Amino acid sequence: MRKLNRPTGHRMSMLRTMVSQLVRHERIETTVAKAKEVRCLADQMVQLGKENTLAAARQASAFVRGDDVLHKLFTELAYRYKHREGGYTRMLRTRFRVGDAAEMAYIEFVDRDNELRQAKPPTPQPPPRPPMDPWTRSRLTRQFAPPKEDENSHSDS
């Protein structure tokens, strides 16, 4: 985790607020370094929302701020991303801030109305292969060396 030039308490408080605002508004503008940290945490919160258990609700409520944000995580976002395995957010670099020339970026949820760029469809998972017998697997994984060729058979003397 990046330290973002802040003490731990301030950094965690700032990230909690940013994740809550991202869930509430579905798009925020921040610096690139902060956006990369928020992206990981927001994806974790959506994953908790998809689990829809009491333990997941308690973990999410310990992190995000606001009952409306928690409700949105477990209803709207969980339903929207029920078939997606990950990658719920995207970061789009926008400009350099005037005061300190920090690189700015939008971080937003994918597959929503008024998004800046259309999301790629989720990649389909390959079908599961049936388990193989351990004896067959060990026989198939052996590397057989080709037979050695005799040097006398190739010489024409």
Side-chain angles (χ1 to χ4, degrees):
M1 177 176 271
R2 292 171 181 82
K3 296 194 180 199
L4 302 173
N5 201 18
R6 286 168 172 78
T8 306
H10 183 199
R11 180 176 63 244
M12 290 310 296
S13 177
M14 178 190 65
L15 291 174
R16 287 176 59 192
T17 303
M18 290 179 77
V19 169
S20 300
Q21 292 299 316
L22 176 63
V23 171
R24 181 174 289 133
H25 301 290
E26 297 193 5
R27 181 194 311 154
I28 58 174
E29 186 180 24
T30 183
T31 62
V32 171
K34 290 178 194 172
K36 288 179 180 179
E37 291 303 313
V38 168
R39 179 177 54 189
C40 297
L41 296 170
D43 285 352
Q44 288 176 5
M45 292 299 114
V46 172
Q47 194 66 36
L48 286 175
K50 285 174 58 176
E51 287 178 19
N52 201 15
T53 61
L54 180 62
R58 287 180 175 164
Q59 282 182 330
S61 67
F63 190 80
V64 297
R65 297 190 167 151
D67 292 336
D68 57 336
V69 173
L70 194 64
H71 179 71
K72 188 171 183 177
L73 268 176
F74 280 84
T75 56
E76 183 181 332
L77 295 179
Y79 178 75
R80 185 189 305 169
Y81 299 122
K82 66 181 175 183
H83 297 297
R84 186 178 277 270
E85 294 297 320
Y88 311 113
T89 55
R90 83 161 62 91
M91 186 186 71
L92 300 169
R93 295 169 190 253
T94 57
R95 62 186 176 94
F96 291 96
R97 192 162 51 194
V98 174
D100 58 353
E103 191 174 3
M104 301 296 286
Y106 278 116
I107 180 165
E108 66 177 5
F109 284 110
V110 297
D111 295 336
R112 65 179 188 87
D113 296 334
N114 300 325
E115 59 185 344
L116 296 176
R117 188 179 71 199
Q118 291 296 319
K120 297 176 184 174
T123 57
Q125 297 295 322
R129 298 189 327 192
M132 189 181 293
D133 178 37
W135 301 109
T136 307
R137 183 175 50 204
S138 67
R139 201 173 326 116
L140 291 175
T141 57
R142 281 192 210 132
Q143 297 294 324
F144 294 104
K148 290 187 177 183
E149 296 180 4
D150 193 16
E151 292 179 11
N152 295 336
S153 65
H154 290 295
S155 60
D156 294 334
S157 44

